Amino acid sequence: MPDAHRRLIVVSNRVGPLVSGGKAGGLAVAMADALQERGGVWFGWSGDLSESGTWSQIRTEVHGEGPTAITLATLDMTEEDHAQFYEGYANRVLWPLMHYRTDLIDYEPRDEEGYRRVNQRFATRLAAHVRPGDMIWVQDYHYLTFAQQLRMAEINNRIGFFLHIPFPPPDVFNVLPRADGMLRALLAYDVLGFQTRRDADNMIALMESEGGERTGEDTIHVMGRDLTVKAFPIAIDARSFAELAATEEAQIAQARAERLLNGRQQIIGVDRIDYSKGLPERFMGFKKLLEDYPENSGRVSFLQIAPPSRGTLDAYARIREELEQISGHVNGRFGDIDWVPIRFTTRGQPRSALAGLYRASRVGLVTPLRDGMNLVAKEYVAAQEPDDPGVLVLSQFAGAAEQMTEALIVNPYSDGDIAEGIQTALRMEKTERIDRYQALMERLVTNDVNAWRHSYLTALDR
Ligand code: GDG
């Protein structure tokens, strides 16, 4: 168990909310729980743009008191910071790169400068508040160079990093201009955590190509530094999510969906609109189901909930249009006056309603082209009714596929494969559905988000 007396400092792009369960998504809940257990500081961007930006005063909000008090500490950014650091380098270079989409990289040297500048400013501002013994845990691709900047500010504390998105093989990573400099920046961390064995192996391969030598199962000596490089698959609080699915609010959403379905079976997808999620390919997979297995006509509906994310970026607007086109086409060609094959909404749902909608669905369709983990896959399973569960159809390229082997694993690039996966799920006998659900659920409960956090912090707290 980690030493609960060392203060924890979490760094992530967005800070809060400090709630467990409720409305917040996976990352926020995991961080809030970690801080609630041991107290500490949660540091990051306020969400506001101002002229003083990273030079603005650190805004602090203290919750609780004594050793487990939590301080939320935030800084603004300037409009330029946000355009270069966030929209530019983080989302037009690192996001596509890490998702193996080198074709979508839009690299501008000034965005890289902005990225490095924001990392440097945030790190320098935080450094003034770091105490000896504090453990610093940095989240995600926005802050690859954060530890290097802290080291320059003479912070010698343990600093860990966790990447929520995939990490590609060396040949792909090296497409990044000045990739070697980025690798060197990452070596300033003590622990590099990844979602899957595959991602961790890709990092180790990159380090070995630079002369690194493994010193143990998860440790490597490279360019004079000793690091832990390890997979820590992120998880959900499966028990709480299962409870959420049985609450009154969830039941209301479930009943509403079932009324509309009128005895038909529902297939559900839930994703932020993003090209990594394989949404157009998924819609084509559903179309293929209707073509290849016409017995589903009038009997199955596909509900896709796709709230916008980073809506300012053109790529996302284009996907949305494409989805509207495909669903319009499929509904026109296959639908009937009392049957809408695809229902597609960009309206976000409360978390409890989502749980009810998962439960109302015979098939959970999670087919990203590439995904760090994918928490929707885990939520879908956790929300199922134990004695009549639905079936998860899961992309082989979601990190979750490494653990969720009882799902029906499909290739998201093949519409035929998706259609076949859905068809198998729809036809599956109840006993087999229960067997698969039980195996998946047992693993979700054992390896929940608390176990994830503890294993990471144990590695960091050496
Ligand atoms: C990144 C990585 C990794 C979605 N729509 C609604 C809603 N959501 C919630 C889901 C889920 C979360 O958002 C999405 O999490 P994912 O894991 O599926 O995907 P990313 O957002 O891309 O997250 C990913 C994750 O980080 C954690 O490390 O797994 O691979 O890409 O919790 O339920 N929640 C509500 N209404 C919606 O309409 N309330």
Side-chain angles (χ1 to χ4, degrees):
M1 284 290 282
D3 172 2
H5 300 295
R6 290 178 75 170
R7 200 169 68 141
L8 177 64
I9 300 178
V10 170
V11 179
S12 60
N13 183 46
R14 295 307 302 271
V15 170
L18 265 186
V19 288
S20 200
K23 282 195 175 148
L27 171 68
V29 172
M31 296 303 127
D33 286 353
L35 287 162
Q36 248 132 27
E37 193 174 65
R38 50 199 305 148
V41 178
W42 191 349
F43 178 72
W45 179 41
S46 62
D48 293 328
L49 302 177
S50 68
E51 255 170 51
S52 47
T54 46
W55 297 119
S56 61
Q57 220 184 336
I58 296 190
R59 225 174 296 157
T60 56
E61 222 180 84
V62 183
H63 296 255
E65 46 191 62
T68 56
I70 302 169
T71 306
L72 303 184
T74 56
L75 278 175
D76 294 350
M77 278 185 214
T78 62
E79 247 171 67
E80 189 181 48
D81 289 337
H82 190 258
Q84 297 175 348
F85 156 83
Y86 183 76
E87 291 183 357
Y89 196 73
N91 286 319
R92 281 200 299 264
V93 178
L94 295 176
W95 180 273
L97 176 82
M98 301 297 198
H99 288 88
Y100 299 58
R101 291 298 300 270
T102 52
D103 57 317
L104 296 177
I105 291 176
D106 180 8
Y107 173 80
E108 290 287 345
R110 66 160 195 275
D111 292 342
E112 184 185 350
E113 273 162 42
Y115 180 88
R116 289 177 176 276
R117 178 182 69 241
V118 169
N119 269 259
Q120 189 251 328
R121 298 266 183 79
F122 268 74
T124 316
R125 300 296 304 275
L126 177 66
H129 302 272
V130 175
R131 302 178 195 151
D134 286 351
M135 289 194 298
I136 305 168
W137 189 11
V138 180
Q139 308 294 320
D140 229 357
Y141 63 103
H142 312 92
Y143 290 121
L144 297 176
T145 59
F146 200 86
Q148 184 182 45
Q149 296 300 332
L150 282 176
R151 300 295 184 212
M152 283 185 197
E154 293 182 2
I155 299 297
N156 298 316
N157 301 49
R158 296 278 292 173
I159 313 176
F161 177 74
F162 183 76
L163 186 66
H164 289 258
I165 63 178
F167 191 79
D171 269 353
V172 176
F173 183 77
N174 285 327
V175 167
L176 182 71
R178 313 207 291 168
D180 51 339
M182 193 54 88
L183 173 62
R184 226 166 294 125
L186 282 165
L187 300 183
Y189 285 103
D190 296 299
V191 178
L192 294 177
F194 297 92
Q195 298 277 27
T196 64
R197 186 69 253 171
R198 168 162 44 194
D199 300 315
D201 285 345
N202 285 339
M203 174 51 91
I204 289 169
L206 181 69
M207 289 173 161
E208 283 175 341
S209 73
E210 296 294 329
E213 280 176 25
R214 296 177 85 142
T215 50
E217 197 180 329
D218 308 308
T219 50
I220 186 158
H221 180 80
V222 53
M223 298 186 198
R225 295 270 308 155
D226 285 292
L227 288 91
T228 296
V229 177
K230 195 175 170 192
F232 302 91
I234 202 167
I236 61 167
D237 188 338
R239 276 220 183 81
S240 311
F241 203 83
E243 283 165 18
L244 184 67
T247 56
E248 201 187 324
E249 286 135 303
Q251 280 171 10
I252 292 171
Q254 184 179 352
R256 205 174 138 206
E258 284 169 354
R259 247 194 327 276
L260 198 66
L261 286 165
N262 196 16
R264 297 188 185 96
Q265 289 189 327
Q266 178 162 275
I267 301 167
I268 193 168
V270 176
D271 312 72
R272 290 181 305 98
I273 293 198
D274 189 287
Y275 49 79
S276 66
K277 302 293 182 184
L279 290 165
E281 292 80 358
R282 185 181 311 169
F283 280 34
M284 295 311 281
F286 179 72
K287 177 176 171 228
K288 187 84 173 143
L289 174 85
L290 299 178
E291 282 167 354
D292 288 3
Y293 309 95
E295 65 268 34
N296 292 306
S297 189
R299 298 221 170 106
V300 182
S301 278
F302 170 34
L303 170 64
Q304 176 67 51
I305 298 173
S309 66
R310 310 189 204 105
T312 53
L313 305 182
D314 291 352
Y316 303 100
R318 276 202 301 278
I319 299 169
R320 186 186 161 149
E321 260 169 48
E322 196 179 344
L323 295 177
E324 284 163 355
Q325 270 171 16
I326 306 175
S327 52
H329 166 73
V330 170
N331 288 340
R333 177 167 156 208
F334 295 93
D336 210 334
I337 44 172
D338 62 347
W339 174 53
V340 184
I342 301 184
R343 280 177 296 131
F344 164 51
T345 171
T346 53
R347 187 168 304 167
Q349 300 293 321
R351 207 163 159 73
S352 54
L354 212 57
L357 292 170
Y358 287 139
R359 202 180 251 227
S361 306
R362 171 53 59 84
V363 181
L365 194 51
V366 180
T367 55
L369 303 180
R370 194 62 69 173
D371 216 332
M373 177 55 59
N374 195 297
L375 295 178
V376 169
K378 296 188 172 183
E379 291 166 1
Y380 173 76
V381 171
Q384 294 309 300
E385 220 166 292
D387 47 15
D388 191 14
V391 180
L392 176 65
V393 174
L394 180 62
S395 159
Q396 67 190 92
F397 302 118
E402 218 171 74
Q403 296 170 297
M404 304 185 84
T405 47
E406 293 81 5
L408 297 177
I409 305 293
V410 298
N411 181 343
Y413 289 94
S414 156
D415 59 351
D417 219 37
I418 294 176
E420 199 186 318
I422 300 172
Q423 177 70 357
T424 308
L426 290 169
R427 295 277 159 272
M428 195 179 284
E429 296 290 338
K430 197 196 245 185
T431 49
E432 185 176 351
R433 283 189 276 121
I434 293 178
D435 285 348
R436 287 175 186 260
Y437 160 80
Q438 282 176 349
L440 288 167
M441 191 60 183
E442 212 176 286
R443 218 168 303 128
L444 285 182
V445 169
T446 319
N447 303 303
D448 70 357
V449 70
N450 299 314
W452 172 74
R453 184 177 84 230
H454 282 146
S455 70
Y456 192 96
L457 292 177
T458 303
L460 185 57
D461 196 7
R462 279 266 155 78

